[in-house]
Amino acid sequence: MRMITTEKINETIYNALDEINQLLPGEKKIQKTEGEILYGSGSRLDSLGMVNLIVAVEQRIQDELGQSIDLTDEKALSQKNSPFLTVKTLSDYIASLLNN
Amino acid sequence: MKDKKVILITGTSKGIGKYLAEYYCSKGHTVTGCSRKESEIKNENYSHFSLDVTDEEKVKELFLHIRKNQPGLDVLINNAGIASMNHVMLTPLETVKKILGTNFTGTFLFCREAAKLMRKNNSGRIINFSSVASDLAVEGEAIYASSKSAVVTFTKVLSKELSSMGITVNSIGITPVNTDLIKNVPAGKIDNLLEMLTIKRLAELEDISNVTDFLIREESRFITGQNINLGGV
């Protein structure tokens, strides 16, 4: 199977962030950078925003990359370090699901 | 909410589900139905998926189909359900798993996937089917009634989790209707249950569509987390 690049995964995450940012006021909008904190201390997302982001990312991976993944299965929840901490950790986790 | 809606109904091969699918098709809505069996419904507004409501992969495929082919999902009616009457001491574990699977797990799966679609349009109506058997605590229906109690509690919690997305979630407590679900229940048992209701008769199918119509109406946007028992309990 063709490897899906980090750039492509980041682009998909950023598209999902565009969707989420439409619902957020200016000061709460999520930056489209790898270092942006998504979860925990320093995140601009509330819990519902996080839920919406995860669903939006799953749907866009299905639509844009043609693959179905489950970001909230028990494997994700049992990770020592949460895959949802930053855009980069999320991207890395998605890459591990798509390319393994 | 639009005049012509996209409606998903589970358990449409017979009984209440088949009736509701045909009823909403006749009103010009686009209806997707599912059941383990093929459907006999012939209507240009209807499409059918043969699946088990507890099969997560198949359920996801159904929702992907709706997402790719419809502008969204306006209404979910979780009708699919199975019943079994038996004394607890004579109830096989496999029966318990089947009833909880179809009645609760299936409801959960469809609600979860429907919410993912409805959130995009910031509106939606989810209607789950519970049963008067829960509030009446009918002997011999421990597992069925418990599974429907779980549906009521799930409905109330889900209504809170989805309220900010413009999605309402309610349940309808169904009384015995003259469908396949009660065909194996001795007449005396049904009579005993009807005696416990305020209005002592079997439900007509129109009694059910009256409540689904009410919950789907635009004007019902302020009603959520409620369980509406038919017949008076």
Side-chain angles (χ1 to χ4, degrees):
Chain A
M1 187 182 288
R2 178 174 59 90
M3 287 282 286
I4 296 174
T5 63
T6 299
E7 289 72 24
K8 188 66 194 163
I9 294 170
N10 284 354
E11 183 186 328
T12 306
I13 295 173
Y14 294 154
N15 288 340
L17 286 174
D18 282 340
E19 183 184 323
I20 301 305
N21 278 335
Q22 287 178 7
L23 307 171
L24 300 173
E27 72 278 9
K28 290 268 187 183
K29 289 195 189 300
I30 313 300
Q31 301 299 306
K32 295 193 286 185
T33 63
E34 284 197 331
E36 179 73 4
I37 298 171
L38 300 174
Y39 178 70
S41 177
S43 170
R44 279 177 263 221
L45 281 172
D46 61 15
S47 56
L48 187 60
M50 191 69 202
V51 170
N52 271 315
L53 175 62
I54 290 169
V55 172
V57 168
E58 284 179 347
Q59 288 180 338
R60 286 186 176 274
I61 286 170
Q62 178 96 57
D63 294 345
E64 297 171 19
L65 306 180
Q67 294 203 44
S68 176
I69 61 168
D70 187 351
L71 287 173
T72 54
D73 62 7
E74 293 190 2
K75 183 183 169 200
L77 300 177
S78 64
Q79 299 277 306
K80 191 174 173 188
N81 296 312
S82 169
F84 305 115
L85 283 176
T86 65
V87 167
K88 182 171 188 335
T89 60
L90 178 58
S91 177
D92 289 345
Y93 183 64
I94 292 169
S96 73
L97 293 178
L98 293 176
N99 294 324
N100 290 331
Chain B
M1 201 174 275
K2 308 179 293 287
D3 286 341
K4 298 301 179 191
K5 298 177 176 63
V6 178
I7 301 176
L8 172 59
I9 305 171
T10 66
T12 51
S13 66
K14 58 190 176 184
I16 300 168
K18 184 176 180 219
Y19 163 76
L20 288 174
E22 290 174 330
Y23 173 76
Y24 284 115
C25 281
S26 73
K27 289 182 172 292
H29 301 300
T30 302
V31 178
T32 301
C34 65
S35 62
R36 276 173 291 194
K37 295 176 184 170
E38 294 296 322
S39 170
E40 297 168 2
I41 299 172
K42 305 286 182 219
N43 190 300
E44 61 180 4
N45 294 331
Y46 183 78
S47 55
H48 188 82
F49 283 73
S50 295
L51 55 78
D52 182 328
V53 294
T54 64
D55 186 335
E56 184 175 23
E57 288 309 309
K58 295 285 185 193
V59 171
K60 282 185 170 180
E61 284 175 18
L62 183 160
F63 278 92
L64 181 61
H65 177 85
I66 292 175
R67 192 152 64 84
K68 297 280 187 195
N69 295 284
Q70 302 295 343
L73 177 65
D74 299 308
V75 179
L76 165 67
I77 301 177
N78 268 311
N79 159 75
I82 53 174
S84 175
M85 290 193 74
N86 212 340
H87 194 285
V88 169
M89 288 194 284
L90 302 179
T91 300
L93 180 59
E94 199 53 37
T95 302
V96 177
K97 288 178 178 174
K98 277 184 185 169
I99 293 175
L100 291 177
T102 299
N103 296 0
F104 178 71
T105 309
T107 297
F108 155 73
L109 272 179
F110 275 76
C111 285
R112 186 186 72 184
E113 296 305 313
K116 291 178 183 176
L117 286 189
M118 291 172 172
R119 76 179 179 93
K120 276 197 164 180
N121 293 336
N122 211 34
S123 72
R125 299 276 194 269
I126 295 176
I127 303 170
N128 295 326
F129 279 6
S130 56
S131 169
V132 295
S134 298
D135 282 341
L136 296 176
V138 181
E139 286 175 64
E141 295 195 18
I143 309 308
Y144 175 72
S146 298
S147 74
K148 293 299 190 178
S149 293
V151 169
V152 172
T153 302
F154 178 68
T155 297
K156 290 177 188 296
V157 176
L158 188 64
S159 71
K160 294 182 179 179
E161 293 192 357
L162 301 184
S163 66
S164 65
M165 300 175 195
I167 302 168
T168 68
V169 193
N170 294 284
S171 56
I172 303 174
I174 307 292
T175 57
V177 189
N178 196 15
T179 67
D180 282 0
L181 198 66
I182 62 166
K183 72 180 180 188
N184 295 324
V185 182
K189 296 280 185 189
I190 296 295
D191 291 342
N192 289 344
L193 200 155
L194 296 181
E195 272 304 307
M196 299 165 86
L197 298 175
T198 305
I199 303 171
K200 303 176 195 314
R201 66 164 171 83
L202 290 171
E204 302 295 335
L205 290 166
E206 291 78 9
D207 293 323
I208 296 165
S209 54
N210 175 51
V211 185
T212 54
D213 279 347
F214 168 69
L215 292 173
I216 290 170
R217 287 172 58 188
E218 172 63 24
E219 292 81 357
S220 297
R221 59 187 172 275
F222 203 44
I223 299 170
T224 195
Q226 303 304 302
N227 181 53
I228 301 173
N229 279 322
L230 294 174
V233 175

